[in-house]
Amino acid sequence: METKQWRVDNFVDINDSCPQISQAAALLRAGEVVAFPTETVYGLGANALSTAAVKKIFDAKGRPSDNPLIVHIAEFAQLEAIASIPPVAKTLIERFWPGPLTLVLKKKGNISDAVTAGLPTVAVRMPAHPVALSLIRESGLPIAAPSANRSGRPSPTSAKHVWDDLHGKIAGIVDGGETGVGVESTVLDCTTDIPTILRPGGVTKEQLEQVIGRVAADAALTDEKQPPKSPGMKYTHYAPNAPLVIVDGSPAFFQQLIDNARAQGKKVGVLTTSDRQTMYRADVVFACGNRSDLSTVARQLYDTLRAFDETDVNLIYSESFPTIGIGEAIMNRLKKAAGQRVITES
């Protein structure tokens, strides 16, 4: 399959017609799959009302069919057509939409079961990116869209990442430049008595609680032995090619692990931050943002994980980060990328 590419200014006016977006929207209406930028990561979109179109997403990604998809919308009327909206969801929508917050709601019958993996709920968000909103609006459809990468790989934050993973497997890529937040949206289940975070992301627990009061977190986020509420939470994601291990300890302990691995013939990569980059002696040391501003770490995380694939390292050690604010999402992604492998200094 030929994969078309369109470069679009990410300051496009969502109310104006754009030839590139019109062409991409036409492919979506024709049942094809198109990647597009959001403020979090690039999404891989298809008509959420068409089972045949949605199945093309799973085929292109190699994604397990029991892993539900998030539906992206551009107008509130689209939400009313596919889900029931409780008062708490309306409050959150007023505060955080458009933005990196996905709400899990009771679904209505016209959404494809392929989107929801047969669950009685549907996950929906309105992205805060003009290209995404323009494309959804132009298509006239709710768009099912997971991240636009091969399943298990680091999520894409640029059109190049999408091309590297999926060219020849999808109909098109709308290139709107690099994304902003860098990690996916927060997923909040609004069907429970206490709204429950299923995936930490661009909107923090602290921000949610300022608006609606108490927010719970799914037990599976902190205890890997607990069964996850959503089937897709059980899968490993975001992994670079080389094994990744998180190190929770002092720089001296970190360096000792590096030295021991190199003495065994390993080529070691280190994921750290710009303020600590000169602390470590390893084969490859990559800075991922600055520790004093964890939003910069989130923004660069997936690009840094992918950068290790361009090297010859066969082991990667990553620093750990405080689990406050966006740090919760960073550590969630790193632990999934590491397959929960963490070495803690005693």
Side-chain angles (χ1 to χ4, degrees), residues 171-245:
I173 302 170
V174 180
D175 181 355
E178 293 186 357
T179 60
V181 177
V183 293
E184 294 84 350
S185 62
T186 301
V187 177
L188 185 72
D189 188 349
C190 292
T191 68
T192 52
D193 291 337
I194 300 172
T196 301
I197 294 174
L198 304 184
R199 180 182 71 186
V203 175
T204 67
K205 184 174 186 285
E206 295 87 345
Q207 289 174 314
L208 293 170
E209 290 186 328
Q210 286 177 358
V211 176
I212 60 171
R214 184 184 172 195
V215 172
D218 187 83
L221 292 175
T222 54
D223 184 354
E224 60 188 275
K225 296 180 181 178
Q226 292 289 329
K229 183 175 176 64
S230 173
M233 294 169 64
K234 67 188 177 185
Y235 294 106
T236 298
H237 299 285
Y238 322 118
N241 291 335
L244 174 71
V245 179

Side-chain angles (χ1 to χ4, degrees), residues 247-317:
V247 179
D248 185 6
S250 65
F253 176 72
F254 199 119
Q255 185 62 53
Q256 182 182 7
L257 292 175
I258 297 169
D259 293 342
N260 290 345
R262 295 180 79 190
Q264 296 170 14
K266 298 284 189 182
K267 291 193 173 181
V268 179
V270 169
L271 188 155
T272 181
T273 49
S274 58
D275 46 311
R276 294 190 176 190
Q277 190 171 13
T278 58
M279 289 184 179
Y280 301 116
R281 301 179 305 279
D283 296 282
V284 175
V285 180
F286 284 149
C288 180
N290 190 289
R291 200 173 185 85
S292 64
D293 182 0
L294 292 183
S295 68
T296 63
V297 177
R299 191 176 307 123
Q300 298 177 31
L301 180 61
Y302 293 140
D303 188 58
T304 304
L305 289 174
R306 284 177 174 265
F308 283 111
D309 292 344
E310 305 300 320
T311 72
D312 61 352
V313 301
N314 48 32
L315 176 63
I316 303 166
Y317 285 130

